[in-house]
Amino acid sequence: MDLLEYQGKQLFARHGVAVPSGLPATTVAEAVDAADKIGYPCVVKAQVQVGGRGKAGGIKVAQDRQEAQLHSQAILGMDIKGHTVHEIWVEAASDIASEYYASIVFDRSAKAPLVMLSTQGGMDIEEVAERDPNAIAKLHVDPLLGFQEFHGRRLAFEAGVDEDVVRPIAAILARLYEAFVAEEAMLVEVNPLIITGDRDVWALDAKVTLDDNALYRHPENAALRNPGNEDPQEQMAHERGLTFVKLDGDIGILGNGAGLVMSTIDVVSQAGGSPANFLDAGGGSKAEAITSAVEVILANPNVKAVLFNIFGGITRCDEVAKGLIEAFAQINPIVPFVVRLDGTNDVEGRRLLAEANLPNVHAQDTMLGAAQKVVELAQGVAS
Amino acid sequence: MDLLEYQGKQLFARHGVAVPSGLPATTVAEAVDAADKIGYPCVVKAQVQVGGRGKAGGIKVAQDRQEAQLHSQAILGMDIKGHTVHEIWVEAASDIASEYYASIVFDRSAKAPLVMLSTQGGMDIEEVAERDPNAIAKLHVDPLLGFQEFHGRRLAFEAGVDEDVVRPIAAILARLYEAFVAEEAMLVEVNPLIITGDRDVWALDAKVTLDDNALYRHPENAALRNPGNEDPQEQMAHERGLTFVKLDGDIGILGNGAGLVMSTIDVVSQAGGSPANFLDAGGGSKAEAITSAVEVILANPNVKAVLFNIFGGITRCDEVAKGLIEAFAQINPIVPFVVRLDGTNDVEGRRLLAEANLPNVHAQDTMLGAAQKVVELAQGVAS
Amino acid sequence: MSVLVGKDTRLCVSGITGREGTFHALNNRNYGTNVVAGVTPGKGGQDVEGIPVFDTFHAAVADSGANTAMIFVPPRFAADSILEAQDAGIELIIAITEGIPAHDELRVFNHLSHQSGVRLIGPNCPGILSPGKANVGIIPASFFKEGNVGVVSRSGTLTYQIGNELARAGFGNSSIVGIGGDPVPGSSFIDIIALFEADPETELIVMSGEIGGSAEEEAAEYIAANVTKPVVAYIAGFTAPPGKTMGHAGAIVSGTAGTAVAKAEALEAKGVRVGRTPTETAEIAAQILSA
Amino acid sequence: MSVLVGKDTRLCVSGITGREGTFHALNNRNYGTNVVAGVTPGKGGQDVEGIPVFDTFHAAVADSGANTAMIFVPPRFAADSILEAQDAGIELIIAITEGIPAHDELRVFNHLSHQSGVRLIGPNCPGILSPGKANVGIIPASFFKEGNVGVVSRSGTLTYQIGNELARAGFGNSSIVGIGGDPVPGSSFIDIIALFEADPETELIVMSGEIGGSAEEEAAEYIAANVTKPVVAYIAGFTAPPGKTMGHAGAIVSGTAGTAVAKAEALEAKGVRVGRTPTETAEIAAQILSA
């Protein structure tokens, strides 16, 4: 789960990381009101989960109320790389002496958090990494030992931060690490981390990704999910507990198990088709879950055909068949379905489907055959 | 640093361990006032750092105000195994269904905290351990991993607690562990840990020893030190930053380094003497520290002779000599001193002492010779 | 021979009294696995169709001599159950549970890595099947037969797919090991490939990877330096869009590294043949074995 | 030969710019110890009478090739400095600092025990002297000479006392190792006795213990099983009253276990001769060496 900038800053503030004061707004009136409260100059910032907001015109300084109004009008509703701006964050303008970069990522290979610090903040860190790898100080933290004072000092000295801010930089890294662990984040990134004219250290931006699997332990974070920023179909899938990713094509895909679904998408693509989604019905899906998943797939008007690719382990093929039959009873789909059932209770599943004799549902024996069939159907070659 | 029962309970409460409500009192009037506020029946408990308070009459139930007055009168000022009761704790009477025992000790051999639980609480746990070792469930906790839920369950099941309290007992052990770590304790003991008639789990007593070396991180705990419960001479030494233990004899001992001082006490005892104290002047003591230590030693009127046994490493013998000379200038002691100086700057130290020609100060070359000499002097055989 | 589970396996199932736990414990027993105990706190003294249930792993191990644990409890309890199994002396812990918080996995992995004599498979994995000997987990055993192909996979159902294609081509398996798709798997491709390399029954190794992370690239290096047996690989996610998480926490593509193309190239550069579909993968394996 | 410190020692002093740190770093260098670097955060680039100072241990190790660290910082910073030294690849860490919180020591000890190739001596110890070769710490070296007696001790000044008595009896030392009197020492009697047993120059081992804990009892068992060289012991605290802490955090007597009598009996039961005074201990050692 990705947080918006201001949600990330509020999370930081809970762990003692200094952030500029600000207020969120979803309308121009709210934004102007917020700007008045905060005072001028202030900054109007588009709240979307995508980089490059500044270049796209999504971050503007307002010197007075009139500018606050103009900027919030311009930014609200703006499209930034496919993300519509539904919300803005109005914050006090900062006095920036230096722009640094700090982040903590969950490093799978090392099985440890990786902490990074650079004095070359304010720009794309991938570019910095490419141009001058030594400009980024990095170290792994033993998760059982935790972040030690020496970690902070070492990063600060190795990144070459100004001498007078070695201690405050080390301290803010310790607090970011605390936030990373306490909130169970997968990523915490601050770019820029600024040194103010008064030599204070502030997080001027915040990119935080939380672990969805841990949200049950953090109800206050779970409540942050921002429906306005999600695709309606993805939101629908999410509410139904399905693992769903929207894609560009016209063939709806349902499978059980992430690897099998990814493989199905590959095979369909290789057969010349274009998948409309990734949908993992998950292990042990019952009939209702299948019915519910069909509704999600068909909520995409681009879908011209649907492929069910099931290899049952925990998932039982008879339950999948029952779910599909129920879906047809409820929503009577007009697009063709190709269904391949193997694994647990496959014989029973195939029998149920055959008996139901659903219109335009094509059984296939193999994954490859099923993929070829659904591509044909989507292209209208066969019916 | 040992806490009084009620200080330990207040510490527990900060970590979510349930304790009966209560109020401390140092006078009978305060106690009666406290009892009125808490309601009757209540329990009047002597606050001294020694076991067996109940048997000694230091814990009494008051059914009404008159009894509260009588009991607090009786208990305040009472002597329990050499400890005078300066303070009492008045707490709400508890409805006790079962008495369990729980503790966490700092196990040096295992380099890990040891957690213990028994259903045979309310009595001396050493007796339980001797009579029925299996009655105490024990396990070590990896300090880097911390107390896990399974630790609590395992202790509860292995101790054989009532089935309905497995979860709350496991939960209270987790909170005691949290207190042990967060407050940097060397010992946390609850005896009895009670199950109430309503099947709640409460800590009815609290024995907490904190790590003196960590008190700087816990100012609220450092402030708890209770001067009323300390020997005046030990208190004087403590205020001066000296490591001091009062003993029963008549020979004052000063040395540098705990091992050497202990060894000095042994050697003096073997020579037929009886040491009046353990005093480790510590490493690198300056002249003022030595002068100050002499004052502490002589604050004990039993002292008939004093032995300085110094083997200088960080400590410099010339500083020790200067400190002793200054002490003579300031307080003109009437008892004889035996001084043995070896190690760093010993030649200079001996020279200073010889030049000062202090009355009744006897230089000795060896530790054994010095011990024998001071015993003779204390016994009045030589002068 | 086989790897990890077999006739010496003495299995204790954590969460045995849950619906799924009971179903799969009995399913594993029916296959021939020696299921000696179960653990459910508070249900000690009961039994599940003759399998004794204990309150703690320690009691289960003491009484039944269990040497292998299957973790079948909800994610909220899984990390604790794994740690308990290790503490009780279990040598092989197979964690089926999906959805364990990543920071829990981090703690568990790092703690276990400091303990000797314990191996974790999973979490979020289908378990291990050694056809004809033992099945621990949720792999539908009837689709596989004894043979000489060792399979190791990050994905459960994809494993079944590949195993099934091999079976159709007439080949069986020594063992099928699902290592799971989570950010911090207890065992890596390398760990399992090393076991297959040492297993006399295994003549060919199939590894089934997916986008995200660098486990496949690391395996490629390891194979080049240490493995004498032929290895055939499959990678899922060639057409996955960058920047999207696809189900498995592991299956996220960011930038160039971790893509299916990069992984396939890394493997092929080290002489590992990579199939573009599960079917092609099985065909390559069959070709090599028939040569 | 000697143990732990000698001609190969390349010492980095943490806290070198403090008053005591400077004094003892120079004192150690004057004795002949190869002091290659110092660490004081914020003073990198400076030097202490020619010894270069670095901001971090990592920079110090990279630049100077230091293999040994002496920790001379206040207790508030000591645990962190030890962990930093380990992280930077230092092999031997000698922590002089007294008064480190016990829970810090617990974390440090348990973390270091999971790392390979690192040994901690102390904290709260006087360091290690290998007469004629190197001195790391605060042991007054002029009172000791080269020889064949290895000394290991929980107490600093008591070590000097015993070493001095030996010197008066005409014997010198291979190495003198102060392991410190804190609750969680980085190295135990056993660890050091094993080194002396393996050191060809050492012909006799003197161990100086004190009341509290069970390190001496454990050493007795170890000596009986593993040590061929004669061991003479001294225990301080025969007349210490029970229940009182005497200086060292370690020196507390509770009940019967951990008393000087119990320790002496445990050692004598395993054939270790125990002197009742430092003088008698030196006399026993001299007797054995002269026999």
Side-chain angles (χ1 to χ4, degrees), chain B residues 91-327:
Chain B
E91 79 179 10
S94 296
D95 172 20
I96 303 175
S98 309
E99 293 186 307
Y100 291 172
Y101 168 94
S103 67
I104 307 173
V105 303
F106 194 102
D107 185 337
R108 297 159 184 206
S109 304
K111 269 94 170 175
L114 176 69
V115 189
M116 294 190 264
L117 179 69
S118 174
T119 57
Q120 301 190 25
M123 62 189 95
D124 188 359
I125 196 70
E126 277 86 3
E127 278 175 34
V128 176
E130 213 162 290
R131 201 182 55 240
D132 181 8
N134 292 327
I136 307 173
K138 302 178 189 184
L139 56 78
H140 286 104
V141 176
D142 181 323
L144 295 176
L145 184 65
F147 193 87
Q148 304 297 304
E149 292 184 5
F150 83 82
H151 289 131
R153 286 198 307 272
R154 189 180 163 202
L155 285 164
F157 283 119
E158 292 188 1
V161 307
D162 294 343
E163 261 183 46
D164 66 325
V165 293
V166 164
R167 276 163 178 278
I169 289 278
I172 212 166
L173 290 175
R175 294 194 194 111
L176 287 170
Y177 188 88
E178 183 200 305
F180 178 80
V181 172
E183 308 286 348
E184 303 194 64
M186 304 302 286
L187 168 72
V188 157
E189 189 177 47
V190 184
N191 191 14
L193 180 73
I194 63 161
I195 315 298
T196 68
D198 296 337
R199 310 306 287 168
D200 289 326
V201 183
W202 295 73
L204 206 59
D205 197 358
K207 191 172 174 192
V208 175
T209 303
L210 299 174
D211 179 8
D212 289 335
N213 286 340
L215 284 180
Y216 75 90
R217 285 198 280 234
H218 307 276
E220 74 291 4
N221 290 340
L224 292 178
R225 195 175 286 274
N226 197 327
N229 279 287
E230 225 169 340
D231 176 272
Q233 196 189 6
E234 294 197 340
Q235 194 183 324
M236 180 182 177
H238 177 254
E239 282 162 7
R240 294 170 183 220
L242 300 164
T243 307
F244 180 92
V245 180
K246 191 168 185 169
L247 302 172
D248 294 333
D250 54 11
I251 298 175
I253 305 279
L254 178 148
N256 61 320
L260 184 62
V261 181
M262 270 193 284
S263 177
T264 307
I265 289 172
D266 287 350
V267 173
V268 166
S269 300
Q270 286 165 15
S274 181
N277 65 273
F278 169 104
L279 193 157
D280 175 9
S285 306
K286 296 281 150 203
E288 311 86 77
I290 299 295
T291 309
S292 171
V294 170
E295 285 173 6
V296 170
I297 291 170
L298 297 179
N300 178 351
N302 296 339
V303 168
K304 290 190 192 146
V306 176
L307 171 59
F308 267 42
N309 187 20
I310 300 294
F311 203 114
I314 292 194
T315 303
R316 288 154 52 179
C317 292
D318 54 336
E319 287 286 337
V320 175
K322 282 181 199 161
L324 184 58
I325 293 164
E326 179 60 27

Side-chain angles (χ1 to χ4, degrees), chain B residues 108-109 185 211 256 263 266 340, chain D residues 102-103 157 161 214 234 237 239 249:
Chain B
R108 297 159 184 206
S109 304
D211 179 8
N256 61 320
S263 177
D266 287 350
R340 181 267 182 147
Chain D
H103 283 257
T157 46
Q161 178 67 35
S214 57
Y234 174 72
T239 51

